[in-house]
Amino acid sequence: MAEMNKDSVAEILTQIATMLELKGENVFKIRAYQNAARAMETFSGNLAQVVGEGKLAEVPGIGKAIAEKVTELVVTGNLSYYNILKAEFPPGIFDMFGVMGMGPKKIAAVWEKLDITSVAELEAGCKDGRVAGLRGFGEKTATNILKAIEDRKKHAGRFRMGEIAGDAEQMLDDLRSLPDVTRVAACGSYRRCRETCGDLDFLVSTNSPESVSEFFVKHEMVESVIAHGATKSSVRWKSGIQADMRVVKDTEFAFALNYFTGSKEHNIVMRQRALARGWTLNEYRLGAADGGNAEIPTIREEADLYRALGLDFIEPELREDRGEFIAAEKHTLPRLVEVSNLRGTFHNHTTASDGRNTLREMADAAEELGLQYLGIADHSKSSVQAHGLDEARLLAQVAEIRAMNKQSSFRLFAGSEVDVLKDGSLDFSDEILAQLDYVVVSVHNAFSMSEAEMTKRIIRAMENKYVTMLGHLTGRLLLQRDAYAVDIPAVIEAAAATGTIIELNANPRRLDMDWRWWPLAKEKGVKCAINPDAHHTSQLQFLRFGVGTARKGWLERGDVVNCLPLGEIATVLTAKRG
DNA sequence: GCCGTTTTCGGCCCGACTGTTTTCAGTCG
């Protein structure tokens, strides 16, 4: 078995939980394994060290039994309990969890009664009537399973923010315009600004639930209706994403908004805090717990609820149970950066390389957005596929930018997105780089080198004193291409040591560096630049996705260099040159 | 299987919808 890190340990614990579900084990034992997996994922210490010291059971959520199993896993790379358990199941059976409506009980039933062990066999069993004949199943169930198998083929996976935000905002506007609607919100991962969403959750408060539900399921975006009840409806949109809507009374709105925003882990802590105060919290109200007689406070807004639970208001982006409760108790939550704080942005392309709009068009669009300055960073000569600029074309562009700056109060900065070559050297000489206002460096090729080599390559590039910032650190394309192997903490450390800014690439296909790493960067004193990587004037709007991601990373205005006004930004860009 | 400043035993978050039942199980979020 491969070397065990905390993610692979978490994966094995999750698989154990799934197998115990199929066996019909005690639900709390199953939950214990799920909790332990979650504890491993968020564990921030050195796993090998804690195992070596025998202190694993001190981690919350991990007790004696699971600590022993994890220790065996880390020490030997193997776990006999897991191996024995896994041998009991045909391998294809786990794929059936991916079919909507198929849970552990149904999967166990078709396996035991019909010897169905894969999605393909399940499909056949539904078509020939065997599934419908099972006790607890029926014609309707078989039909729904077949539909779910089709949906799974058609709509596999998740959706990037950039693909769904337009429709989501349209739906919000349309719901707000209805006469009987009081309050409207999008909840779930969309409100928390996750990089991808599996579905969309809408919440509406109204005294006329039927008409609002009717409107939702008959909207022109809808492709098919999955469920249509009095207070809860689910539809599939033409874009492929599932959209759910809950309808509540306005007095319930704050509770429902909080509940459906999540995350699930955040909600669990909220409920526990309510219980600790003699209340029970659900999506409709704060009530008296059994035997509790604590007075119930009046809650109208989410902030009232947090206050009642002894907390400062926690912004939705932070609700991932990654330390927000401790900070909210101690009044040390960050004041998160906002779109309106941005004064400019770097890393944008023009027709000189692979952009679709001219320098002038890009400048006008940025000014129209209310920005004070715009950095241009077209590709360098090694990016042949993107028509990268050679030295002569780059210097001509610099001259053009200087000339434009003389004619306008809007400021353009002349930069370049310089390729980091395989050995960590740069695509332009220092003499050329010295003539630019700033330099972005990015990796665009040789993605498959080892983690050690890639890390060395990137750090060498950052050590150049002309390099202002590091572009899209991991090269990932969400839902498309994984990040290349790179030691992110080491890169953050090098950024701190060299004074190099790290980009938060706001293109919704990238959102790179990932939000989970920004608290570490901030702790090390590394600054962030939120850049849209715009190849078209309309893509300057990607900044909003970047700000959402920065907020998830606990970043404040002072952490983001492009919040600085024009008078202060220029010196920051060349600070490394000394 | 985990947890504990009321507990080392007895709890563990909970409501809506669907379909199959004829009062509820399963799934989802």
Side-chain angles (χ1 to χ4, degrees):
Chain A
M1 209 177 279
E3 190 189 332
M4 283 294 147
N5 59 33
K6 55 200 181 77
D7 287 334
S8 42
V9 171
E11 172 60 24
I12 296 221
L13 293 173
T14 304
Q15 285 186 35
I16 290 174
T18 302
M19 292 189 282
L20 294 178
E21 277 189 301
L22 282 172
K23 284 167 73 93
E25 262 281 3
N26 177 295
V27 290
F28 298 109
K29 182 171 171 179
I30 293 161
R31 192 177 300 167
Y33 276 94
Q34 288 164 342
N35 288 341
R38 161 85 188 159
M40 285 310 324
E41 280 169 8
T42 58
F43 177 67
S44 58
N46 181 322
L47 181 59
Q49 189 184 333
V50 173
V51 166
E53 291 168 353
K55 290 184 172 170
L56 204 51
E58 290 175 21
V59 177
I62 296 183
K64 189 164 169 286
I66 293 183
E68 276 175 19
K69 292 187 174 73
V70 172
T71 300
E72 182 185 338
L73 207 42
V74 171
V75 172
T76 70
N78 238 309
L79 177 58
S80 51
Y81 175 72
Y82 170 76
N83 294 338
I84 291 167
L85 198 54
K86 188 148 193 179
E88 295 180 34
F89 301 94
I93 201 171
F94 303 105
D95 293 339
M96 284 194 271
F97 280 99
V99 178
M100 279 274 281
M102 290 298 287
K105 295 286 161 51
K106 285 209 174 85
I107 292 172
V110 297
W111 176 36
E112 283 162 13
K113 304 267 171 51
L114 300 174
D115 203 26
I116 284 173
T117 63
S118 70
V119 174
E121 289 170 19
L122 179 64
E123 188 171 6
C126 288
K127 283 180 176 163
D128 65 23
R130 284 180 298 148
V131 168
L134 274 183
R135 181 175 177 78
F137 291 66
E139 285 298 336
K140 202 80 187 265
T141 303
T143 309
N144 286 345
I145 292 172
L146 278 178
K147 170 124 181 19
I149 291 173
E150 282 307 308
D151 280 355
R152 178 172 169 273
K153 291 174 189 164
K154 200 165 62 181
H155 307 297
R158 299 174 63 83
F159 296 79
R160 290 180 289 256
M161 270 287 173
E163 300 170 284
I164 54 176
D167 281 355
E169 296 301 320
Q170 180 68 55
M171 178 56 76
L172 287 170
D173 283 346
D174 292 349
L175 289 170
R176 277 190 205 103
S177 71
L178 295 179
D180 301 321
V181 162
T182 314
R183 284 192 273 183
V184 175
C187 307
S189 47
Y190 183 79
R191 185 168 182 236
R192 301 201 315 280
C193 286
R194 291 288 291 235
E195 59 274 36
T196 62
C197 296
D199 63 10
L200 285 166
D201 302 291
F202 294 95
L203 176 67
V204 174
S205 66
T206 177
N207 291 321
S208 176
E210 294 83 6
S211 68
V212 176
S213 297
E214 189 86 359
F215 175 83
F216 183 74
V217 299
K218 291 195 170 157
H219 195 280
E220 62 173 4
M221 286 181 216
V222 171
E223 182 220 62
S224 60
V225 179
I226 298 166
H228 182 190
T231 65
K232 184 186 167 183
S233 302
S234 291
V235 297
R236 175 85 58 195
W237 281 355
K238 290 168 185 164
S239 68
I241 197 166
Q242 179 177 329
D244 300 337
M245 187 180 70
R246 291 277 186 149
V247 182
V248 298
K249 296 203 265 297
D250 199 59
T251 51
E252 301 166 333
F253 188 83
F255 301 103
L257 178 62
N258 190 252
Y259 181 86
F260 291 114
T261 297
S263 63
K264 204 195 262 178
E265 292 77 16
H266 182 92
N267 288 351
I268 287 170
V269 178
M270 292 291 280
R271 282 168 188 265
Q272 286 168 346
R273 291 187 73 97
L275 283 172
R277 285 162 177 76
W279 303 319
T280 168
L281 174 64
N282 63 26
E283 59 260 58
Y284 302 111
R285 65 191 61 82
L286 196 58
D290 283 346
N293 56 358
E295 192 182 334
I296 313 274
T298 303
I299 308 285
R300 164 127 186 101
E301 309 287 344
E302 263 192 325
D304 301 330
L305 178 58
Y306 282 96
R307 195 176 307 116
L309 298 179
L311 299 164
D312 290 344
F313 177 71
I314 298 173
E315 297 280 2
E317 293 90 339
L318 300 185
R319 299 180 194 171
E320 303 286 350
D321 192 19
R322 294 173 75 95
E324 70 270 23
F325 287 103
I326 291 169
E329 264 184 356
K330 291 187 185 162
H331 311 295
T332 56
L333 281 170
R335 178 164 179 188
L336 299 178
V337 62
E338 294 172 22
V339 172
S340 61
N341 297 150
L342 296 179
R343 293 292 172 268
T345 185
F346 305 96
H347 194 172
N348 298 289
H349 297 269
T350 72
T351 47
S353 64
D354 58 350
R356 303 278 300 280
N357 291 97
T358 63
L359 191 52
R360 165 58 64 193
E361 289 164 346
M362 292 296 285
D364 290 346
E367 191 169 6
E368 186 128 329
L369 274 183
L371 300 179
Q372 298 177 342
Y373 54 87
L374 180 73
I376 299 299
D378 272 312
H379 288 286
S380 63
K381 61 182 189 244
S382 285
S383 280
V384 179
Q385 76 292 345
H387 312 294
L389 282 63
D390 61 16
E391 286 81 353
R393 290 176 64 213
L394 174 63
L395 294 179
Q397 188 186 55
V398 172
E400 189 183 355
I401 286 172
R402 304 265 185 260
M404 284 173 69
N405 280 335
K406 283 185 183 154
Q407 292 162 10
S408 163
S409 62
F410 183 81
R411 174 71 188 270
L412 286 167
F413 286 100
S416 174
E417 184 184 16
V418 181
D419 270 31
V420 179
L421 306 182
K422 223 178 155 184
D423 63 355
S425 62
L426 299 181
D427 207 10
F428 290 128
S429 68
D430 285 1
E431 290 69 41
I432 295 292
L433 299 181
Q435 299 180 56
L436 301 173
D437 297 325
Y438 72 100
V439 173
V440 185
V441 290
S442 303
V443 168
H444 286 122
N445 62 7
F447 293 154
S448 55
M449 53 174 55
S450 73
E451 178 177 317
E453 277 183 301
M454 183 62 89
T455 306
K456 206 170 132 195
R457 173 187 185 184
I458 291 172
I459 290 176
R460 183 175 166 208
M462 288 193 296
E463 284 167 346
N464 184 306
K465 69 174 180 180
Y466 294 103
V467 170
T468 314
M469 62 185 78
L470 172 62
H472 48 70
L473 169 51
T474 74
R476 76 174 179 188
L477 293 178
L478 289 164
L479 308 179
Q480 241 177 294
R481 183 176 77 203
D482 283 344
Y484 42 70
V486 58
D487 182 346
I488 295 174
V491 172
I492 289 172
E493 201 70 55
T498 58
T500 307
I501 297 161
I502 294 180
E503 168 181 275
L504 198 174
N505 191 298
N507 187 311
R509 281 154 50 92
R510 295 188 183 272
L511 299 175
D512 185 10
M513 182 169 82
D514 188 277
W515 57 271
R516 295 161 186 83
W517 290 106
W518 285 106
L520 177 64
K522 178 173 180 164
E523 182 193 320
K524 301 287 181 185
V526 175
K527 296 296 181 194
C528 168
I530 301 176
N531 293 327
D533 200 353
H535 288 70
H536 188 274
T537 51
S538 64
Q539 295 182 350
L540 291 169
Q541 311 273 0
F542 288 166
L543 283 170
R544 57 172 283 213
F545 302 119
V547 170
T549 303
R551 289 166 64 85
K552 284 199 88 56
W554 292 58
L555 296 187
E556 301 175 276
R557 180 183 203 156
D559 303 315
V560 178
V561 292
N562 45 320
C563 292
L564 289 172
L566 185 53
E568 297 172 37
I569 186 66
T571 54
V572 171
L573 296 176
T574 55
K576 278 172 73 181
R577 301 184 192 181

